[in-house]
C-alpha cells in the first residue's frame, strides 16, 4: 500500500483518458478537478454540484460515466456505508490505509489511521506470506453530539457540505 500524491494521480488519470482515446473535454476536466480538489467524501450528486460550480454545462451522464473510471482504476474508492447512495472517497490516493467512523445519526464520516492496523498488515505479511492490497475497518458509532443531545444538529449540514 504505497501512497502517491493527488497531483501525480491526476496526471495518471489524464494519461489513462488519453490511452482510452477519451477527449479531455472541459466538462470532464471540471469533474476531475472537483474530485482531486477535495478531501471530503461525496456522492455522485454532490460531485455533479461541485463540477457545475467549475463548469455549469457538466451533465449528470458525464459524471456517472466518469466515476466508474475513477473507481475501477483506484483513484477513488466506493464506500459501502449501508446507505442508498454510494459514497466516494478521494483520500485513498494519499492515505491508502485509512479507516472510517460513521455517525449513525448524521452520517458524518471521520477518518482515522491506526498503527495497530499497520501492525496487522505486517503480521499478515510475515506470518502468512501475503502482501496486503487493501485493508479497511469501518466503524458505525454515535458521535459526541448524538450522545449528548440524542440527535445531531449537524445532520442537515453534513448532507449539504461544500468542497473545502
Ligand atoms: Zn476516507
Ligand atoms: Zn452525528
Amino acid at each position: 500500500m504505497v501512497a502517491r500524491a493527488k497531483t501525480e494521480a491526476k496526471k495518471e488519470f489524464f494519461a489513462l483518458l488519453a490511452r482510452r482515446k477519451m477527449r479531455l473535454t472541459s466538462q470532464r476536466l471540471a469533474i476531475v478537478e472537483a474530485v482531486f480538489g477535495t478531501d471530503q467524501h461525496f456522492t455522485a450528486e454532490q460531485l455533479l454540484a461541485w463540477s457545475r460550480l467549475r463548469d455549469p454545462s457538466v451533465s449528470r451522464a458525464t459524471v456517472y460515466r466518469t466515476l466508474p473510471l475513477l473507481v475501477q482504476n483506484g483513484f477513488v474508492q466506493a464506500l459501502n456505508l449501508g446507505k442508498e447512495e454510494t459514497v466516494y472517497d478521494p483520500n485513498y490516493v494519499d492515505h491508502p490505509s485509512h479507516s472510517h467512523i460513521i455517525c449513525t445519526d448524521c452520517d458524518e464520516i471521520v477518518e482515522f489511521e491506526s498503527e495497530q492496523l499497520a501492525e496487522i498488515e505486517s503480521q499478515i505479511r510475515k506470518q502468512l506470506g501475503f502482501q496486503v492490497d487493501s485493508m479497511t475497518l469501518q466503524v458505525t458509532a454515535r458521535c459526541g453530539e448524538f450522545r449528548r443531545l440524542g440527535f445531531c444538529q449537524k445532520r442537515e449540514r453534513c448532507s449539504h457540505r461544500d468542497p473545502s
Side-chain angles (χ1 to χ4, degrees):
M1 297 195 275
V2 180
R4 48 185 178 165
K6 270 185 188 158
T7 45
E8 230 173 89
K10 192 161 75 177
K11 272 188 228 153
E12 281 176 37
F13 187 68
F14 289 152
L16 175 90
L17 290 178
R19 279 201 303 282
R20 303 236 174 149
K21 309 242 183 301
M22 296 172 81
R23 278 199 314 130
L24 187 59
T25 57
S26 67
Q27 290 85 352
R28 205 167 266 144
L29 181 64
I31 296 168
V32 171
E33 295 286 0
V35 166
F36 289 105
T38 186
D39 55 10
Q40 287 185 32
H41 307 79
F42 56 84
T43 62
E45 288 301 312
Q46 275 168 328
L47 179 58
L48 175 64
W50 293 347
S51 305
R52 280 182 174 163
L53 291 177
R54 293 167 188 269
D55 182 341
S57 71
V58 172
S59 73
R60 181 169 279 112
T62 310
V63 168
Y64 279 82
R65 272 198 306 266
T66 307
L67 259 177
L69 265 183
L70 286 158
V71 173
Q72 284 154 22
N73 294 285
F75 295 99
V76 162
Q77 201 97 358
L79 302 179
N80 182 359
L81 304 182
K83 308 279 171 191
E84 239 169 77
E85 279 185 293
T86 303
V87 172
Y88 298 91
D89 188 339
N91 299 336
Y92 281 93
V93 165
D94 288 337
H95 305 284
S97 42
H98 75 265
S99 301
H100 296 106
I101 309 171
I102 302 110
C103 175
T104 46
D105 192 42
C106 66
D107 292 343
E108 185 184 17
I109 300 171
V110 174
E111 298 187 333
F112 72 99
E113 287 189 74
S114 157
E115 281 176 20
Q116 272 125 316
L117 285 180
E119 273 167 35
I120 292 174
E121 184 192 347
S122 97
Q123 261 176 26
I124 289 171
R125 194 178 54 240
K126 285 181 195 147
Q127 294 175 11
L128 304 171
F130 281 81
Q131 188 194 322
V132 174
D133 290 328
S134 75
M135 180 167 62
T136 55
L137 174 67
Q138 192 168 295
V139 180
T140 51
R142 282 162 291 173
C143 73
E145 194 168 357
F146 190 17
R147 282 191 292 122
R148 268 195 315 279
L149 305 173
F151 66 99
C152 291
Q153 285 174 323
K154 54 182 173 263
R155 197 190 307 185
E156 274 302 291
R157 290 206 303 275
C158 284
S159 50
H160 301 288
R161 259 192 291 182
D162 297 320
S164 51

